[in-house]
Amino acid sequence: MPTVSSEELAAAAGVNSAKLRKDFSYLGSYGTRGVGYDVEYLVYQISRELGLTQDWPVVIVGIGNLGAALANYGGFASRGFRVAALIDADPAMAGKPVAGMPVQHTDDLESIIEENGVSIGVIATPAGAAQQVCDRLVAAGVTSILNFAPTVLSVPDGVDVRKVDLSIELQILAFHEQRKAGEEAAGEPGTVLQAPKETGKGPDGDVPAVMPA
Amino acid sequence: MPTVSSEELAAAAGVNSAKLRKDFSYLGSYGTRGVGYDVEYLVYQISRELGLTQDWPVVIVGIGNLGAALANYGGFASRGFRVAALIDADPAMAGKPVAGMPVQHTDDLESIIEENGVSIGVIATPAGAAQQVCDRLVAAGVTSILNFAPTVLSVPDGVDVRKVDLSIELQILAFHEQRKAGEEAAGEPGTVLQAPKETGKGPDGDVPAVMPA
DNA sequence: GAATGTGAATTTCTTCACAGCG
DNA sequence: CGCTGTGAAGAAATTCACATTC
């Protein structure tokens, strides 16, 4: 399929075709009137815009189950991420291979970051260690942190943190599940709210806004 | 701190206080004019609305590194989730304790779900097994699925799926990182876009919309 | 006096609809 | 003729501002 129309893409994504065209237009005029978008060219332009064409070395700190799962996760490489090092505070872990890579000790954190030009760090340590690891990462030059530890990290200005809370997604499912259960018993005391407005045919299913009664 | 004002909460959350009050008002009138919101009561009302006061038994299918990490994740219990069973297709895993709980074999998936009244399933299997596991979960009565496998699952109407892609968060960080790097060299060829508009003082830092030039 | 709850004003986002180009 | 790109219209979300209540 060499080209694709905004109509087709919009249908696949479950959004309005005008919105899709307008969004694309913010990236530039990459379509051809009367024809559509050249798939390969479009993919390249979007990839470039998102930073997928760059090489991003990352370090993963805390090689427990989650750290190991992340190290083994195939999705990273295909998006331009390269796991530059696995770091753990446990001396017993040092040298052990995880995902075909020897685990290194926290002592070498600073030098590893500098040598590899790492600007993105992933924290998969227990909650208690997270802030300390974070501080060291930042001091060593890391400016973006993905935090899996159940703590809120404080960082200086200019450093981005994203926190991944694995239970939030479950939370959202449970919220919908609760609504499904409540549908049979509408008007029940305590059921103050209406069902969420379905935003569209989108397969997305985001968190619905709670609507006024 | 027995009560809190919308102003304080809004400042803490980095949003406008009127928005916060309006949002709360959709849940009911839980505040007191001239005083604010009773913290304990508010927490209870929000918890109830979100379904935190219910007990949600979940099963985790696929006990590799990620499945084990999820099983050990402390955040679930505090939000009303109870890991009812860990299930894996590998017979060698059966009976092994993970997070203080014996792993059970996929053969028993249906009976486990029925016996525990499970309506939420977590899939942490390799991509190849995910759809099959999903089909069995759905057939057994599961109506919400959290999918960590890098596959798009197809499910019948009435079943909710949420897909967690661990690389998307990294993606977002890399996107910002790219922007930071681009700031020094503004006007560079290829730098078509403006910097994202900062939405507010929110500590949130969501994905910025790309703005028209 | 202090802070909620909410209509009205404002801003932002989405969709329409069509001129313009290949 | 078909489909993009985009002003203008319409819808939705956010903020203002104040009457109301404790």
Side-chain angles (χ1 to χ4, degrees):
Chain A
M1 197 175 196
T3 69
V4 66
S5 71
S6 63
E7 207 68 64
E8 292 169 294
L9 283 175
V15 300
N16 183 292
S17 68
K19 179 164 176 14
L20 190 135
R21 287 199 300 281
K22 185 152 279 186
D23 284 0
F24 278 7
S25 77
Y26 295 147
L27 304 176
S29 286
Y30 298 142
T32 308
R33 291 168 194 234
V35 179
Y37 298 91
D38 181 86
V39 172
E40 196 181 353
Y41 185 54
L42 184 63
V43 166
Y44 169 71
Q45 289 297 345
I46 293 176
S47 298
R48 187 181 51 73
E49 193 60 53
L50 293 177
L52 295 173
T53 54
Q54 284 185 45
D55 174 69
W56 296 104
V58 304
V59 295
I60 301 175
V61 186
I63 312 302
N65 278 315
L66 182 57
L70 293 170
N72 281 297
Y73 184 60
F76 290 157
S78 64
R79 304 200 185 208
F81 297 106
R82 181 167 49 81
V83 178
L86 307 177
I87 302 175
D88 200 283
D90 183 357
M93 288 290 292
K96 269 198 184 177
V98 170
M101 191 171 226
V103 174
Q104 295 180 265
H105 191 264
T106 324
D107 286 349
D108 303 323
L109 189 144
E110 284 78 8
S111 61
I112 294 167
I113 287 172
E114 192 178 354
E115 276 164 34
N116 292 278
V118 172
S119 56
I120 302 179
V122 177
I123 297 180
T125 65
Q131 182 64 57
Q132 196 186 333
V133 167
C134 172
D135 292 344
R136 287 183 64 183
L137 287 173
V138 170
V142 165
T143 48
S144 292
I145 290 176
L146 184 57
N147 178 31
F148 285 90
T151 332
V152 175
L153 297 175
S154 64
V155 291
D157 273 7
V159 176
D160 277 340
V161 178
R162 294 193 69 86
K163 186 172 180 309
V164 176
D165 181 340
L166 297 171
S167 68
I168 280 183
E169 296 291 325
L170 267 187
Q171 202 63 77
I172 293 168
L173 285 174
F175 180 75
H176 288 306
E177 197 63 36
Q178 179 177 234
R179 294 249 163 146
K180 286 183 203 164
E183 247 147 56
E184 293 104 61
E188 189 189 307
T191 303
V192 192
L193 302 171
Q194 298 189 335
K197 188 198 57 177
E198 281 302 325
T199 325
K201 334 71 261 254
D204 206 84
D206 228 350
V207 202
V210 168
M211 301 304 288
Chain B
M1 197 177 198
T3 68
V4 67
S5 71
S6 62
E7 208 68 64
E8 292 169 295
L9 284 175
V15 300
N16 182 292
S17 68
K19 179 167 178 11
L20 192 136
R21 288 199 300 281
K22 185 151 281 188
D23 285 359
F24 279 6
S25 77
Y26 294 147
L27 304 176
S29 286
Y30 298 141
T32 308
R33 289 168 195 234
V35 179
Y37 299 90
D38 180 87
V39 173
E40 196 181 352
Y41 185 54
L42 183 63
V43 166
Y44 169 72
Q45 290 297 344
I46 294 176
S47 298
R48 187 180 53 73
E49 193 59 54
L50 293 177
L52 295 174
T53 55
Q54 284 184 45
D55 173 69
W56 296 103
V58 304
V59 295
I60 301 175
V61 187
I63 313 301
N65 277 315
L66 181 58
L70 293 169
N72 281 298
Y73 184 60
F76 290 157
S78 65
R79 305 201 184 204
F81 297 106
R82 180 166 50 80
V83 177
L86 306 178
I87 302 176
D88 200 282
D90 183 356
M93 289 290 291
K96 268 199 185 177
V98 170
M101 190 170 228
V103 174
Q104 297 180 264
H105 192 264
T106 325
D107 287 348
D108 303 323
L109 188 146
E110 284 78 9
S111 60
I112 293 166
I113 287 173
E114 192 178 354
E115 276 164 34
N116 292 279
V118 172
S119 57
I120 301 178
V122 177
I123 297 180
T125 65
Q131 182 64 57
Q132 195 186 332
V133 167
C134 172
D135 292 345
R136 286 182 65 182
L137 287 172
V138 170
V142 166
T143 49
S144 291
I145 290 176
L146 184 57
N147 179 30
F148 285 90
T151 332
V152 175
L153 296 175
S154 64
V155 292
D157 273 7
V159 176
D160 276 341
V161 178
R162 293 193 70 85
K163 187 172 179 309
V164 176
D165 182 340
L166 298 170
S167 69
I168 280 182
E169 296 291 325
L170 268 186
Q171 201 63 75
I172 293 168
L173 285 174
F175 180 75
H176 288 306
E177 197 63 37
Q178 180 178 234
R179 295 247 164 146
K180 286 183 203 165
E183 247 148 57
E184 294 105 60
E188 188 191 308
T191 303
V192 192
L193 302 171
Q194 298 189 335
K197 189 197 54 177
E198 280 303 324
T199 324
K201 338 65 265 255
D204 205 85
D206 227 352
V207 201
V210 168
M211 301 305 287

